[in-house]
């Protein structure tokens, strides 16, 4: 299943290849029903994502398409985008049951890094 998540602030990609996003109320309203629907497939205690820190983490891999603010595909080195707003389409792949915990396996299908907006120029 693919879903587009609302614009959120990015903290960049962590050392584990996961995009870290600040969860918003709009995102949680979209995300929580999906979690509740899929929890029935778990065999172990559910690992919350976003966690208690309010950060939603989702895998970025070599097949993720990343676009700039002009909707042009970024090729080569990805520019720094911590503290920038991004919009993503994510794939919700499956429920994992591994090492005593369960949760959703998700990856970023597409991501757009929005240009910084200024009130004054």
């Amino acid at each position: 299943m693919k879903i587009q998540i609302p614009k959120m602030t990015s903290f960049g990609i962590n050392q584990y290849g996961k995009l870290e996003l600040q969860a918003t109320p709009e995102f949680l309203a979209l995300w929580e029903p999906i979690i509740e629907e899929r929890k029935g497939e778990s065999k172990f205690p559910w690992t919350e994502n976003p966690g208690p820190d309010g950060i939603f983490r989702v895998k970025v891999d070599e097949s993720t398409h990343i676009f700039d603010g002009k909707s042009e595909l970024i090729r080569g080195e990805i520019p720094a985008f911590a503290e920038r707003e991004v919009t993503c389409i994510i794939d919700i792949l499956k429920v994992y049951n591994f090492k005593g915990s369960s949760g959703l396996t998700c990856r970023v299908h597409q991501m757009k890094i929005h240009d910084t907006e200024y009130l004054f120029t």
Side-chain angles (χ1 to χ4, degrees):
M1 165 197 312
K2 285 184 176 60
I3 62 167
Q4 180 170 335
I5 59 176
K7 190 184 288 189
M8 294 194 285
T9 301
S10 163
F11 294 110
I13 299 173
N14 68 21
Q15 69 268 27
Y16 305 108
K18 293 195 175 195
L19 174 64
E20 296 186 334
L21 301 169
Q22 179 63 56
T24 63
E26 296 83 12
F27 169 72
L28 294 174
L30 172 73
W31 190 242
E32 287 172 358
I34 294 169
I35 294 294
E36 291 307 313
E37 179 181 319
R38 303 300 293 272
K39 274 187 175 180
E41 300 172 41
S42 66
K43 297 178 182 173
F44 303 111
W46 193 262
T47 301
E48 295 297 331
N49 186 18
D53 58 0
I55 305 298
F56 177 67
R57 293 170 177 86
V58 59
K59 183 75 174 164
V60 174
D61 60 26
E62 66 281 344
S63 63
T64 299
H65 293 98
I66 301 176
F67 297 89
D68 64 18
K70 296 177 179 70
S71 298
E72 295 178 9
L73 184 63
I74 297 172
R75 299 187 187 280
E77 189 172 331
I78 300 167
F81 59 95
E83 303 300 322
R84 300 269 300 274
E85 289 195 322
V86 300
T87 304
C88 298
I89 297 173
I90 62 170
D91 289 321
I92 301 170
L93 302 173
K94 66 180 182 174
V95 172
Y96 68 83
N97 295 292
F98 185 70
K99 291 190 176 182
S101 65
S102 297
L104 281 179
T105 301
C106 303
R107 63 171 287 278
V108 178
H109 177 71
Q110 292 181 359
M111 177 175 66
K112 180 176 181 176
I113 303 169
H114 296 278
D115 291 331
T116 304
E117 295 180 20
Y118 298 99
L119 293 176
F120 304 99
T121 56

